[in-house]
Amino acid sequence: MVTGQSSTVAKLIPEITGGKPYVFVLMPFGSQYHLFEQVKAAVHDSIKLNCLRADDFPGAGFDLLEKIHVAIERAELVIAEISERNANVFYELGYAVGINKPILLIANRGVEIPTDLRGRELVLRSDDKEGTKSFGEELRNNLMRRMNSQTALLRDMLEAERPQPAFIVASPKYPN
């Protein structure tokens, strides 16, 4: 059920994103902003999407949980930083999983991954210079692999450098 507040939050999203698709990042507030900047750069470089987190949305007058729910629902992909055992991040990740939103996990090397999340796509990182570089490369590669060809086709049709018509032709008489 859409409440008045969630529909108001939903109307803010196109203003913030410019009406473009985005990736939503779950991570504890106030921690590792440099990591968010690195993820944001990888998302933009590899799949050309905006990358947002909860504090990119105006907070005054809105229920934080409602704002996060709407942001997750409308995201193309949810990336969750799970190195810290943060209850809010795990709740938001559970919500994303519960609504079948595609997710990608990132965590520090050596961190124990909770049993329920093992088997999910995970990109490991470390803070040394080599680890930071390999993390960025692995994240970019993972994002490019994950992008659904339908999303990529739609994005190319809507945001092509040189707009050209695209047609999909199908005939029930000639299935091949």
Side-chain angles (χ1 to χ4, degrees), residues 3-63:
T3 66
Q5 188 174 38
S6 63
S7 66
T8 303
V9 172
K11 289 176 187 175
L12 284 175
I13 291 175
E15 292 175 22
I16 295 164
T17 64
K20 296 180 181 180
Y22 64 94
V23 171
F24 193 64
V25 178
L26 308 175
M27 61 189 318
F29 280 111
S31 74
Q32 303 181 353
Y33 195 77
H34 69 282
L35 174 60
F36 175 67
E37 289 296 323
Q38 190 177 10
V39 170
K40 188 175 181 177
V43 167
H44 185 266
D45 292 348
S46 60
I47 58 175
K48 308 295 187 235
L49 293 182
N50 293 318
C51 190
L52 305 170
R53 45 185 235 168
D55 53 352
D56 288 322
F57 295 88
F62 296 108
D63 174 34

Coordinates of all heavy atoms in Angstrom, one line a residue, residues 3-63:
T3 N 1.6 4.9 0.8 CA 1.1 6.0 1.7 C 1.4 7.3 1.0 O 2.1 7.4 0.0 CB 1.8 5.9 3.0 OG1 3.2 6.2 2.8 CG2 1.7 4.6 3.7
G4 N 0.8 8.3 1.5 CA 1.0 9.7 1.0 C 2.5 10.1 1.1 O 3.0 10.7 0.2
Q5 N 3.1 9.6 2.2 CA 4.5 10.0 2.4 C 5.4 9.2 1.4 O 6.3 9.8 0.8 CB 5.0 9.7 3.8 CG 6.4 10.2 4.0 CD 6.8 10.1 5.5 OE1 6.4 9.1 6.1 NE2 7.5 11.0 6.0
S6 N 5.1 7.9 1.1 CA 6.0 7.2 0.2 C 5.8 7.7 -1.2 O 6.8 7.7 -2.0 CB 5.7 5.7 0.3 OG 4.4 5.4 -0.1
S7 N 4.6 8.1 -1.6 CA 4.4 8.7 -2.9 C 5.2 10.0 -3.1 O 5.7 10.4 -4.1 CB 2.9 8.9 -3.3 OG 2.3 9.8 -2.5
T8 N 5.2 10.8 -2.0 CA 6.0 12.1 -2.0 C 7.5 11.8 -2.1 O 8.2 12.4 -2.9 CB 5.7 12.9 -0.7 OG1 4.3 13.1 -0.6 CG2 6.5 14.2 -0.7
V9 N 8.0 10.8 -1.4 CA 9.4 10.4 -1.5 C 9.7 9.9 -2.9 O 10.7 10.2 -3.5 CB 9.7 9.3 -0.5 CG1 11.1 8.7 -0.7 CG2 9.6 9.8 0.9
A10 N 8.7 9.1 -3.5 CA 8.9 8.6 -4.8 C 9.0 9.7 -5.9 O 9.8 9.6 -6.8 CB 7.8 7.7 -5.2
K11 N 8.3 10.8 -5.6 CA 8.4 12.0 -6.5 C 9.7 12.7 -6.4 O 10.1 13.4 -7.3 CB 7.2 12.9 -6.2 CG 5.9 12.4 -6.7 CD 4.8 13.3 -6.3 CE 3.4 12.7 -6.6 NZ 2.3 13.5 -6.1
L12 N 10.4 12.6 -5.3 CA 11.7 13.2 -5.1 C 12.8 12.5 -5.9 O 13.8 13.1 -6.3 CB 12.1 13.2 -3.6 CG 11.4 14.2 -2.7 CD1 11.9 14.0 -1.2 CD2 11.7 15.6 -3.1
I13 N 12.7 11.2 -6.0 CA 13.7 10.4 -6.7 C 14.1 10.9 -8.0 O 15.3 11.1 -8.3 CB 13.4 8.9 -6.6 CG1 13.4 8.4 -5.2 CG2 14.3 8.1 -7.5 CD1 13.0 7.0 -5.0
P14 N 13.1 11.2 -8.9 CA 13.5 11.7 -10.3 C 14.2 13.1 -10.2 O 15.0 13.4 -11.0 CB 12.2 11.8 -11.0 CG 11.3 10.9 -10.3 CD 11.7 10.9 -8.9
E15 N 13.8 13.9 -9.2 CA 14.5 15.2 -9.0 C 16.0 15.0 -8.6 O 16.9 15.7 -9.1 CB 13.8 16.0 -7.9 CG 12.4 16.5 -8.3 CD 11.7 17.2 -7.1 OE1 12.4 17.7 -6.2 OE2 10.5 17.2 -7.1
I16 N 16.2 14.0 -7.8 CA 17.6 13.7 -7.3 C 18.4 13.0 -8.4 O 19.6 13.4 -8.6 CB 17.6 12.9 -6.1 CG1 16.9 13.6 -4.9 CG2 19.0 12.4 -5.6 CD1 16.5 12.8 -3.8
T17 N 17.8 12.1 -9.1 CA 18.5 11.3 -10.1 C 18.5 11.9 -11.5 O 19.1 11.4 -12.5 CB 18.0 9.9 -10.2 OG1 16.6 10.0 -10.7 CG2 18.1 9.2 -8.9
G18 N 17.7 13.0 -11.7 CA 17.5 13.5 -13.1 C 16.7 12.6 -13.9 O 16.7 12.6 -15.1
G19 N 15.9 11.7 -13.2 CA 15.0 10.8 -13.9 C 15.7 9.6 -14.5 O 15.1 8.8 -15.2
K20 N 17.0 9.4 -14.1 CA 17.8 8.3 -14.6 C 17.8 7.1 -13.6 O 17.7 7.4 -12.4 CB 19.2 8.8 -14.9 CG 19.2 9.8 -16.0 CD 20.6 10.3 -16.3 CE 20.6 11.3 -17.4 NZ 21.9 11.8 -17.7
P21 N 18.1 5.9 -14.1 CA 18.2 4.8 -13.2 C 19.4 5.0 -12.3 O 20.3 5.8 -12.6 CB 18.5 3.6 -14.2 CG 18.2 4.1 -15.5 CD 18.3 5.6 -15.5
Y22 N 19.4 4.3 -11.2 CA 20.5 4.4 -10.2 C 20.7 3.2 -9.5 O 19.9 2.2 -9.4 CB 20.2 5.6 -9.2 CG 19.0 5.3 -8.4 CD1 19.1 4.8 -7.1 CD2 17.7 5.6 -8.8 CE1 18.0 4.5 -6.3 CE2 16.6 5.4 -8.0 CZ 16.7 4.8 -6.8 OH 15.6 4.6 -6.0
V23 N 21.9 3.1 -8.8 CA 22.3 2.0 -7.9 C 22.2 2.6 -6.5 O 22.7 3.7 -6.3 CB 23.7 1.5 -8.2 CG1 24.2 0.6 -7.2 CG2 23.8 0.9 -9.6
F24 N 21.7 1.9 -5.6 CA 21.5 2.3 -4.2 C 22.5 1.6 -3.3 O 22.6 0.3 -3.4 CB 20.1 2.1 -3.7 CG 19.8 2.8 -2.4 CD1 19.8 4.2 -2.4 CD2 19.5 2.1 -1.3 CE1 19.5 4.9 -1.2 CE2 19.2 2.7 -0.1 CZ 19.2 4.1 0.0
V25 N 23.3 2.3 -2.6 CA 24.3 1.7 -1.7 C 23.9 1.7 -0.3 O 23.5 2.8 0.3 CB 25.7 2.5 -1.9 CG1 26.8 1.9 -1.0 CG2 26.1 2.4 -3.4
L26 N 24.0 0.5 0.4 CA 23.7 0.4 1.8 C 25.0 0.3 2.5 O 25.9 -0.5 2.2 CB 22.9 -0.9 2.1 CG 21.7 -1.1 1.2 CD1 21.1 -2.5 1.5 CD2 20.7 0.0 1.4
M27 N 25.2 1.3 3.5 CA 26.4 1.2 4.3 C 26.1 2.1 5.5 O 25.2 2.9 5.5 CB 27.6 1.8 3.6 CG 27.6 3.2 3.1 SD 28.9 3.7 2.0 CE 30.4 3.0 2.7
P28 N 26.8 1.8 6.6 CA 26.6 2.6 7.9 C 26.8 4.1 7.6 O 27.7 4.4 6.9 CB 27.6 2.0 8.9 CG 27.9 0.7 8.3 CD 27.8 0.8 6.9
F29 N 26.0 4.9 8.2 CA 26.2 6.4 8.1 C 27.5 6.7 8.8 O 27.9 6.2 9.8 CB 25.1 7.1 8.9 CG 23.8 7.2 8.0 CD1 22.7 6.5 8.4 CD2 23.8 8.0 6.9 CE1 21.5 6.6 7.7 CE2 22.6 8.1 6.2 CZ 21.5 7.4 6.5
G30 N 28.2 7.7 8.2 CA 29.4 8.2 8.7 C 30.6 7.3 8.6 O 31.7 7.7 9.2
S31 N 30.5 6.2 7.9 CA 31.7 5.4 7.9 C 32.2 5.3 6.4 O 31.4 5.2 5.5 CB 31.3 3.9 8.4 OG 30.6 3.3 7.4
Q32 N 33.4 5.3 6.3 CA 34.1 5.1 5.0 C 33.5 5.8 3.8 O 33.2 5.1 2.8 CB 34.2 3.6 4.8 CG 34.9 2.8 5.9 CD 35.0 1.3 5.6 OE1 34.4 0.8 4.7 NE2 35.6 0.6 6.5
Y33 N 33.4 7.1 3.9 CA 32.9 7.8 2.8 C 33.8 7.6 1.5 O 33.3 7.6 0.4 CB 32.7 9.3 3.1 CG 31.8 10.0 2.0 CD1 30.5 9.8 2.1 CD2 32.4 10.8 1.0 CE1 29.7 10.4 1.1 CE2 31.6 11.4 0.1 CZ 30.2 11.2 0.1 OH 29.4 11.7 -0.8
H34 N 35.1 7.4 1.8 CA 36.0 7.2 0.7 C 35.6 5.9 -0.1 O 35.8 5.8 -1.3 CB 37.5 7.1 1.1 CG 37.8 5.9 2.0 ND1 37.4 5.8 3.3 CD2 38.4 4.8 1.7 CE1 37.8 4.6 3.8 NE2 38.4 4.0 2.8
L35 N 35.1 4.9 0.6 CA 34.7 3.7 0.0 C 33.5 4.0 -0.9 O 33.4 3.5 -2.0 CB 34.3 2.6 1.0 CG 33.7 1.3 0.5 CD1 34.6 0.7 -0.5 CD2 33.4 0.4 1.6
F36 N 32.5 4.8 -0.4 CA 31.4 5.2 -1.2 C 31.8 5.9 -2.5 O 31.3 5.6 -3.6 CB 30.4 6.0 -0.5 CG 29.2 6.5 -1.3 CD1 28.3 5.6 -1.8 CD2 29.1 7.9 -1.6 CE1 27.3 6.1 -2.6 CE2 28.1 8.3 -2.4 CZ 27.2 7.4 -2.9
E37 N 32.8 6.8 -2.4 CA 33.3 7.5 -3.6 C 33.9 6.5 -4.6 O 33.7 6.7 -5.8 CB 34.3 8.6 -3.1 CG 33.7 9.7 -2.4 CD 32.7 10.5 -3.3 OE1 33.0 10.7 -4.5 OE2 31.7 11.0 -2.8
Q38 N 34.6 5.5 -4.1 CA 35.2 4.5 -4.9 C 34.1 3.7 -5.6 O 34.2 3.4 -6.8 CB 36.1 3.6 -4.1 CG 37.0 2.7 -5.0 CD 37.9 1.9 -4.2 OE1 37.9 1.8 -2.9 NE2 38.8 1.2 -4.8
V39 N 33.1 3.3 -4.9 CA 32.0 2.5 -5.5 C 31.2 3.4 -6.5 O 30.9 2.9 -7.6 CB 31.0 2.0 -4.4 CG1 29.7 1.5 -5.0 CG2 31.7 1.0 -3.5
K40 N 31.0 4.6 -6.1 CA 30.3 5.6 -7.0 C 31.1 5.7 -8.4 O 30.5 5.7 -9.4 CB 30.2 6.9 -6.3 CG 29.4 7.9 -7.0 CD 29.3 9.1 -6.1 CE 28.4 10.2 -6.7 NZ 28.3 11.4 -5.8
A41 N 32.4 5.8 -8.3 CA 33.2 6.0 -9.5 C 33.2 4.7 -10.3 O 33.0 4.7 -11.6 CB 34.7 6.3 -9.1
A42 N 33.2 3.5 -9.7 CA 33.1 2.2 -10.4 C 31.8 2.1 -11.1 O 31.7 1.6 -12.2 CB 33.4 1.1 -9.4
V43 N 30.7 2.4 -10.4 CA 29.4 2.3 -11.0 C 29.3 3.2 -12.2 O 28.8 2.8 -13.3 CB 28.3 2.7 -10.0 CG1 26.9 2.9 -10.6 CG2 28.2 1.6 -8.9
H44 N 29.7 4.5 -12.1 CA 29.6 5.4 -13.2 C 30.5 5.0 -14.4 O 30.1 5.0 -15.5 CB 30.0 6.8 -12.8 CG 29.8 7.8 -13.9 ND1 30.8 8.2 -14.7 CD2 28.7 8.4 -14.3 CE1 30.4 9.0 -15.6 NE2 29.1 9.2 -15.4
D45 N 31.8 4.6 -14.1 CA 32.7 4.2 -15.1 C 32.2 2.9 -15.9 O 32.4 2.8 -17.1 CB 34.1 3.9 -14.6 CG 34.8 5.2 -14.0 OD1 34.3 6.3 -14.3 OD2 35.8 5.0 -13.3
S46 N 31.7 2.0 -15.2 CA 31.4 0.7 -15.8 C 30.0 0.6 -16.4 O 29.8 0.1 -17.5 CB 31.5 -0.5 -14.8 OG 30.7 -0.3 -13.7
I47 N 29.0 1.1 -15.7 CA 27.6 1.0 -16.2 C 26.8 2.3 -16.4 O 25.7 2.3 -16.7 CB 26.8 0.0 -15.3 CG1 26.7 0.5 -13.9 CG2 27.3 -1.4 -15.4 CD1 25.8 -0.4 -13.0
K48 N 27.5 3.4 -16.1 CA 27.0 4.7 -16.4 C 25.7 5.1 -15.7 O 24.9 5.7 -16.2 CB 26.8 4.9 -17.9 CG 28.0 4.6 -18.8 CD 29.1 5.6 -18.5 CE 30.2 5.3 -19.5 NZ 31.5 5.1 -19.0
L49 N 25.6 4.5 -14.5 CA 24.4 4.9 -13.7 C 24.8 5.8 -12.5 O 26.0 5.8 -12.1 CB 23.8 3.6 -13.1 CG 23.1 2.6 -14.1 CD1 22.5 1.4 -13.4 CD2 22.1 3.3 -14.9
N50 N 23.8 6.5 -12.0 CA 24.0 7.3 -10.8 C 24.2 6.3 -9.6 O 23.7 5.2 -9.7 CB 22.8 8.2 -10.5 CG 22.7 9.3 -11.5 OD1 23.6 9.9 -11.9 ND2 21.4 9.5 -11.9
C51 N 24.9 6.7 -8.6 CA 25.1 5.9 -7.4 C 24.7 6.8 -6.2 O 25.2 7.8 -6.0 CB 26.5 5.5 -7.3 SG 26.9 4.2 -6.1
L52 N 23.7 6.3 -5.4 CA 23.2 7.1 -4.3 C 23.2 6.3 -3.0 O 23.2 5.0 -3.1 CB 21.8 7.5 -4.6 CG 21.5 8.3 -5.9 CD1 20.0 8.4 -6.2 CD2 22.2 9.6 -5.9
R53 N 23.2 7.0 -1.9 CA 23.0 6.3 -0.6 C 21.9 7.2 0.1 O 21.5 8.3 -0.4 CB 24.2 6.1 0.2 CG 25.2 7.2 0.3 CD 26.4 6.8 1.0 NE 26.6 7.8 2.1 CZ 27.5 7.7 3.0 NH1 28.2 6.6 3.1 NH2 27.6 8.5 4.0
A54 N 21.5 6.7 1.2 CA 20.3 7.4 1.9 C 20.5 8.8 2.2 O 19.6 9.6 2.1 CB 20.0 6.6 3.2
D55 N 21.7 9.3 2.5 CA 21.9 10.7 2.8 C 22.0 11.6 1.6 O 22.1 12.8 1.7 CB 23.2 10.9 3.7 CG 24.4 10.3 3.2 OD1 24.4 9.5 2.2 OD2 25.5 10.5 3.7
D56 N 21.8 11.0 0.4 CA 21.6 11.8 -0.8 C 20.2 12.3 -0.9 O 19.9 13.2 -1.7 CB 22.0 11.0 -2.0 CG 23.5 10.8 -2.1 OD1 24.3 11.7 -1.8 OD2 23.9 9.7 -2.6
F57 N 19.3 11.7 -0.2 CA 17.9 12.1 -0.2 C 17.6 13.1 0.9 O 18.1 12.9 2.0 CB 17.0 10.9 -0.1 CG 17.1 9.9 -1.2 CD1 18.1 8.9 -1.2 CD2 16.3 10.0 -2.3 CE1 18.2 8.0 -2.2 CE2 16.4 9.1 -3.4 CZ 17.4 8.1 -3.3
P58 N 16.8 14.1 0.6 CA 16.5 15.1 1.7 C 15.8 14.4 2.9 O 15.0 13.5 2.6 CB 15.5 16.1 1.1 CG 15.5 15.8 -0.4 CD 16.2 14.5 -0.6
G59 N 16.1 14.7 4.1 CA 15.6 14.0 5.2 C 14.4 14.7 5.9 O 13.6 14.0 6.5
A60 N 14.4 16.0 5.9 CA 13.4 16.7 6.7 C 12.0 16.4 6.3 O 11.6 16.4 5.1 CB 13.6 18.2 6.5
G61 N 11.2 16.0 7.3 CA 9.8 15.7 7.0 C 9.5 14.4 6.5 O 8.3 14.0 6.3
F62 N 10.5 13.5 6.4 CA 10.3 12.2 5.9 C 10.7 11.1 6.9 O 11.7 11.3 7.5 CB 11.0 11.9 4.5 CG 10.5 12.8 3.4 CD1 11.3 13.8 3.0 CD2 9.3 12.6 2.8 CE1 10.9 14.7 2.0 CE2 8.9 13.5 1.8 CZ 9.7 14.5 1.4
D63 N 10.0 10.0 6.9 CA 10.3 8.9 7.7 C 11.5 8.2 7.1 O 11.5 7.9 5.9 CB 9.2 7.9 7.8 CG 9.5 6.6 8.5 OD1 10.3 6.6 9.5 OD2 8.9 5.6 8.1

